[in-house]
Amino acid sequence: MNSAGHSEATAPRGLELTPFRGLRYDPDQVGSLAAVTSPPYDVVVRPDGLHHLQDADPYNIVRLILPQATTPAARNEQAADTLRGWLAEGVLTADPEPALYVYEQRHADGMLQRGLIGTLRVSEPSEGIVLPHEDVMPHIVADRAALMRATHANLEPLLLTYRGNGTAAEIVDRAAERPPLLSTTTEDGYSHRLWAITDPAETARVLADLAHHQALIADGHHRWATYLRLRAEHPSPSPWDHGLVLLVDTARFPLRVRAIHRLLHGFAVADALAALDGRFRVQRLDVPLAEALDALADAVCAGNGFLLAGDGAFHLVDRPDPALLDRTIPAGFPEAWRTLDATVLHATLLEHIWHIPEDDPARIAYIHDTAATVRKAERDGGTAVLLHPVREEVVRDLARQGVTMPRKSTSFGPKPASGLVLRALDL
């Protein structure tokens, strides 16, 4: 029995974050730390963004997280060869002792985020410890799993949030008062700093605090699903029992939540609008993007709303026919899920009206940047579907009920820069 009178078998099990020996770039071997970083693999806008990153420095992390070759097998082998080469050259070196890493992102607009990077015990959603809120696409999980198998590494942390405001948060803030291991500013205006917590007593206090909490996946559902797949492939105990994460206490450092937009390839705006006749209200808006987004925000206060773009104007689509929603939205879900804009988009618009499969990359793309989505639609003759972001409380409440939102429903940020600290599983 433990001191609380409960057996260890029935004691609650929460977040289990452990220190690790981080792989980090040697600043003397690269042009600059900023030049070797990248946004997470799924945020890079290809191909222009990819080429820009590749040109920034020959050692940019994008050469590991998005290797370029003619076949998937060749891409993964290329990443593995690149990683081995950089380790042999000393471009990437392992820190001498295991640590939990305090990571800070700061922007001139007032945004400040701090969290802990460590390796987290991988757990099934049914355990109620790490809560997903979105579905995943199997082909992306397969792609990330193949890359991790080939490199035997976690190349970038996924982003998790919890609400604690306790001992761990205090230790994080105290660490940020010391000189950092690294400091750099990327071209998006964010400054990045990193510290290592190696003191066993401090680490023990952090782990004891986190053990009472559960976390929400803010960004990285596919990587978490990949961790689960790889853990299942390897008998426990093994290094695959844990995965690299950034854990942010949003009681102390709230994240920003943005929408992820859709680009419908080869589907003209005129055709999209014609299919909506009599089913939604449609208003043409000949205004700048910012004003169109304001109109969308006003519309979703009263119900579901979307902006369509790609023909040089914006079209506000709102006030769906209630009978149409009753016929097309699946029953048996909480009302908060049934009334999500993303639910209406996927179940009513994509599936029922436009007949566009949500998992067909030849028909639909998911893009975080609003202006980029519009530009691509106008350039390619497709349709941009712009969404309004979901509140974090709605996301968390649904996740706690075990209800997942339609895939790519939210974008939490700022996201951790890839390339500041990596994990090799054989260290």
Side-chain angles (χ1 to χ4, degrees), residues 35-283:
V36 296
T37 65
S38 164
Y41 79 96
D42 57 340
V43 180
V44 177
V45 180
R46 301 171 68 177
D48 48 338
L50 176 65
H51 294 154
H52 174 73
L53 291 165
Q54 289 176 329
D55 293 342
D57 191 284
Y59 297 114
N60 189 284
I61 190 66
V62 78
R63 298 179 186 275
L64 297 182
I65 63 174
L66 284 174
Q68 299 301 294
T70 54
T71 67
R75 288 196 293 270
N76 296 327
E77 189 54 39
Q78 180 184 89
D81 289 343
T82 300
L83 179 57
R84 285 191 290 266
W86 291 358
L87 290 169
E89 296 171 35
V91 173
L92 287 171
T93 59
D95 284 332
E97 55 184 327
L100 295 176
Y101 295 88
V102 172
Y103 174 47
E104 176 189 275
Q105 292 167 279
R106 187 188 294 266
H107 197 275
D109 65 6
M111 182 71 195
L112 173 63
Q113 177 178 288
R114 289 190 191 124
L116 284 164
I117 296 178
T119 63
L120 188 70
R121 185 182 72 85
V122 178
S123 58
E124 297 286 347
S126 59
E127 297 180 57
I129 298 170
V130 175
L131 306 176
H133 69 267
E134 290 182 358
D135 292 330
V136 297
M137 303 179 198
H139 72 278
I140 297 180
V141 175
D143 175 75
R144 290 295 101 184
L147 179 63
M148 289 188 202
R149 286 190 205 99
T151 58
H152 209 67
N154 298 151
L155 300 172
E156 48 185 346
L158 54 85
L159 176 61
L160 303 180
T161 73
Y162 78 107
R163 299 188 63 80
N165 206 19
T167 302
E170 293 170 2
I171 291 174
V172 163
D173 285 344
R174 281 203 301 271
E177 296 172 358
R178 304 195 297 259
L181 291 175
L182 65 84
S183 178
T184 190
T185 300
T186 46
E187 62 181 19
D188 59 4
Y190 276 94
S191 64
H192 308 261
R193 297 196 294 172
L194 194 74
W195 297 262
I197 298 175
T198 56
D199 178 78
E202 277 195 326
T203 299
R205 293 178 65 204
V206 169
L207 302 188
D209 184 14
L210 296 179
H212 299 285
H213 296 286
Q214 62 181 186
L216 175 73
I217 301 177
D219 184 70
H221 283 82
H222 290 92
R223 278 167 282 168
W224 186 257
T226 300
Y227 292 166
L228 285 166
R229 175 179 293 193
L230 293 172
R231 184 192 66 169
E233 293 175 1
H234 297 82
S236 184
S238 84
W240 300 101
D241 291 341
H242 294 76
L244 187 63
V245 306
L246 166 62
L247 186 62
V248 174
D249 183 349
T250 54
R252 186 73 64 98
F253 300 105
L255 299 183
R256 292 172 174 167
V257 187
R258 294 186 171 93
I260 301 177
H261 310 296
R262 277 64 170 159
L263 175 61
L264 310 182
H265 299 299
F267 189 50
V269 174
D271 294 332
L273 294 174
L276 300 181
D277 186 35
R279 295 166 162 175
F280 285 75
R281 184 179 71 167
V282 178
Q283 301 177 76

Side-chain angles (χ1 to χ4, degrees), residues 135 137 342 346-347 350-351 356-361 364 366 406-407:
D135 292 330
M137 303 179 198
H346 283 256
L350 291 176
E351 182 177 347
I356 296 176
E358 63 180 14
D359 57 355
D360 183 354
I364 185 170
Y366 298 83
R407 59 193 57 172

Side-chain angles (χ1 to χ4, degrees), residues 301-365:
C301 288
N304 300 112
F306 312 91
L307 279 178
L308 271 56
D311 62 351
F314 295 99
H315 305 270
L316 179 62
V317 174
D318 66 352
R319 299 188 185 181
D321 175 8
L324 172 67
L325 298 186
D326 287 342
R327 292 196 309 271
T328 57
I329 302 296
F333 287 86
E335 187 66 13
W337 182 89
R338 300 186 79 249
T339 56
L340 286 170
D341 288 333
T343 300
V344 174
L345 172 60
H346 283 256
T348 304
L349 290 171
L350 291 176
E351 182 177 347
H352 181 79
I353 296 177
W354 293 333
H355 306 293
I356 296 176
E358 63 180 14
D359 57 355
D360 183 354
R363 301 287 305 280
I364 185 170

